[in-house]
Amino acid sequence: MSSKNATSVAIITRTRDRALLLRRALDSVARQTFRDYHLVIVNDGGDPAAVDALVATHPDLSQVSVIHNPESVGRERAATVGIAGSTSEFIAILDDDDSWANDYLEVTVSWLRTHSDGAVAVRTEVVTEKVDADTIVEIGREMLKPSSYEVTLSDILHTNYVPPSSMLVRRDAYLSVGGWDGSKTANADWDFMLRLLRAHTVGFVDGPPRAFWHHRHSEDGPLGNSVFAAAHEHLQAEQVIRETYLKRALETGDPVGYLAFIAGLVKNLDTTVWQRLNIVADRLEQGDDHRYGSRLGEQIARIDQLLNRLDQNLDLLDRIREERARSPIRRIGHATRQLTSKLFGGVDPDATDPPRHRV
C-alpha cells in the first residue's frame, strides 16, 4: 500500500476472487494518460495474497492502496468503503471486470474542469465475452444506447444506461446528495443517479467509446457479471427502490416518486409488448402465420388488456397529480396500438392521444 497523497481522482475498484478480470482492469488504469490518480482496490472478502501479488506486477500504477475486507460486505457497501478510504476532487468507479480507453480520465477530468456539471459520462461500448480456462474470449461489441447524446432524469427514471464505470463525479456533488447507499443489495448506482440528477446536471462526452462494459452472459459464480448472474436480485432491488420513491411521494408529495412509478409501468409495458411483438414477427418471417393465427390473435388481445390495465393505473395517478393530458403511458399505449393495428388490424387506437415513437 502506498502513502495516500492528495490526488485529483480517486478510482474505486471492487473485486473478489477474480484475478483474471482484475488484471485487465489494472492494465487499463496503468495505461491512463492522466496520471494524478489514487487507485483504491477493495478486496471484498477474497484472497488477499492473490490481490497483493497482482498489484505487485503493476509498478506503473501512479498510486494504489488495497483495502482487504476480512469478510464480504457486498458489492454496494464495498464501493462506499473505497470512497471513504480516499480523498480527491473527483471520484471514479472502475469495476474489476470493466475497462477504459487510455484517455478516459484525461477527457472526463478536462470536462469537469471546464463545465459546471456535477458529473460527466462517456460513450460506452458493451463487450460480450466468455472465459475459456485462463483466457478471456471476446464474442462481440455494440454501442450502449447509441441514440443518446445526453444524460437526463427522465431517461434514467426508466433505465440506468450509465454504468458506474462510465462516469466521473465531483466529490462535492457526490456528498451533496448523500453519496452511494451501501445498504442496498443491488442497483445502488441507479438510486444514486436518481438523486444526483435531481440536484445536478450530468455532462456527456460523445465520440469514440471510452468506457467498456464487459458482459459474460454464460458465466455464473465469481466470474459472472452481476447484471446476469444476479438478475433476479437486480430486479427485486429495482422494485424496492421504485416502491420506496412512490411511498415517499404519497407521504410528502415529492413528484419524482410518481414519475418513478410511471416509468416502471412504462418499462414493464415496453418489455412485455416488444417481447410479444418480436415473437409475432419471428413467426411471420418463418411463414407460420396460418398455423399460429389463432394464438397470435390471443397475444394481441393480451397486449390490449395490458394497455387497458395500465390505463386504469394511470387514471389513479391522474387523480392524484391532475396531469392526465401529459401522461407518457397513454402516448406509448397509443403508439403500440397503432403498430399492432397496422400489423394485424382489429385494434382501434384513441386518435386523441398524441403518438410517441419507441427509441
Side-chain angles (χ1 to χ4, degrees):
M1 179 183 294
S2 67
S3 61
K4 297 180 182 179
N5 298 321
T7 56
S8 297
V9 180
I11 305 171
I12 313 303
T13 296
R14 305 166 284 181
T15 191
R16 183 184 181 187
D17 294 331
R18 308 206 300 184
L20 178 65
L21 303 176
L22 179 60
R23 181 184 299 277
R24 177 176 60 193
L26 297 186
D27 289 343
S28 178
V29 174
R31 290 194 298 265
Q32 291 301 300
T33 55
F34 183 89
R35 306 299 296 173
D36 187 22
Y37 63 77
H38 174 201
L39 172 63
V40 181
I41 301 172
V42 182
N43 176 29
D44 190 35
D47 178 16
V51 175
D52 289 341
L54 193 55
V55 170
T57 66
H58 286 77
D60 45 355
L61 292 169
S62 289
Q63 185 177 165
V64 58
S65 299
V66 181
I67 299 174
H68 294 295
N69 292 337
E71 296 182 356
S72 174
V73 298
R75 294 186 303 272
E76 310 302 11
R77 192 169 298 282
T80 67
V81 169
I83 293 171
S86 67
T87 57
S88 61
E89 183 181 0
F90 308 115
I91 300 169
I93 292 180
L94 177 64
D95 285 334
D96 65 352
D97 59 343
D98 291 336
S99 61
W100 290 332
N102 295 353
D103 63 349
Y104 172 84
L105 288 180
E106 181 181 352
V107 169
T108 54
V109 169
S110 175
W111 179 281
L112 289 184
R113 285 183 171 166
T114 56
H115 297 77
S116 61
D117 301 306
V120 61
V122 300
R123 182 68 69 191
T124 301
E125 192 169 51
V126 177
V127 181
T128 306
E129 61 191 21
K130 65 179 181 178
V131 176
D132 185 1
D134 293 329
T135 304
I136 302 172
V137 180
E138 183 176 314
I139 299 173
R141 293 176 178 244
E142 63 178 342
M143 212 67 73
L144 177 64
K145 208 173 190 312
S147 61
S148 177
Y149 295 89
E150 58 183 348
V151 181
T152 65
L153 178 60
S154 58
D155 281 343
I156 297 298
L157 279 164
H158 182 282
T159 302
N160 184 15
Y161 58 89
V162 181
S165 299
S166 301
M167 186 171 70
L168 184 71
V169 186
R170 295 186 194 276
R171 185 176 292 268
D172 287 347
Y174 171 86
L175 294 174
S176 73
V177 299
W180 198 282
D181 185 354
S183 68
K184 300 200 178 310
T185 58
N187 285 357
D189 57 325
W190 179 54
D191 171 66
F192 172 72
M193 285 294 293
L194 293 176
R195 289 182 281 116
L196 180 68
L197 283 164
R198 292 190 63 177
H200 301 274
T201 56
V202 174
F204 183 78
V205 178
D206 199 7
R210 290 186 167 89
F212 304 97
W213 192 17
H214 296 262
H215 287 182
R216 292 165 304 287
H217 297 194
S218 60
E219 301 290 340
D220 53 16
L223 292 176
N225 182 286
S226 67
V227 173
F228 304 102
H232 184 65
E233 184 179 335
H234 276 259
L235 179 59
Q236 284 186 321
E238 177 184 335
Q239 292 171 340
V240 168
I241 291 172
R242 291 192 191 276
E243 183 78 1
T244 300
Y245 273 78
L246 178 59
K247 288 180 177 178
R248 187 182 304 156
L250 294 172
E251 293 172 358
T252 67
D254 180 5
V256 171
Y258 297 113
L259 295 174
F261 176 73
I262 292 173
L265 294 177
V266 173
K267 186 175 182 178
N268 290 338
L269 170 65
D270 183 73
T271 299
T272 302
V273 168
W274 290 100
Q275 281 179 347
R276 292 177 181 272
L277 289 179
N278 283 335
I279 292 173
V280 169
D282 289 343
R283 287 175 175 172
L284 287 176
E285 288 177 357
Q286 295 168 6
D288 292 338
D289 51 319
H290 296 296
R291 179 181 175 185
Y292 293 103
S294 176
R295 292 182 61 188
L296 295 181
E298 293 174 1
Q299 291 176 352
I300 295 169
R302 175 59 177 160
I303 290 172
D304 203 42
Q305 289 176 0
L306 288 170
L307 294 173
N308 289 333
R309 186 181 304 170
L310 289 171
D311 283 344
Q312 293 171 7
N313 288 326
L314 179 64
D315 288 339
L316 174 61
L317 286 176
D318 283 339
R319 289 196 296 271
I320 296 173
R321 299 299 299 162
E322 297 181 350
E323 294 182 353
R324 185 184 184 92
R326 293 180 292 183
S327 167
I329 294 289
R330 293 195 182 277
R331 292 198 296 271
I332 291 179
H334 171 79
T336 304
R337 284 191 174 99
Q338 276 195 326
L339 178 58
T340 53
S341 179
K342 288 179 180 178
L343 288 173
F344 311 106
V347 180
D348 183 20
D350 181 1
T352 62
D353 284 342
R356 177 175 176 174
H357 299 291
R358 180 176 183 267
V359 177

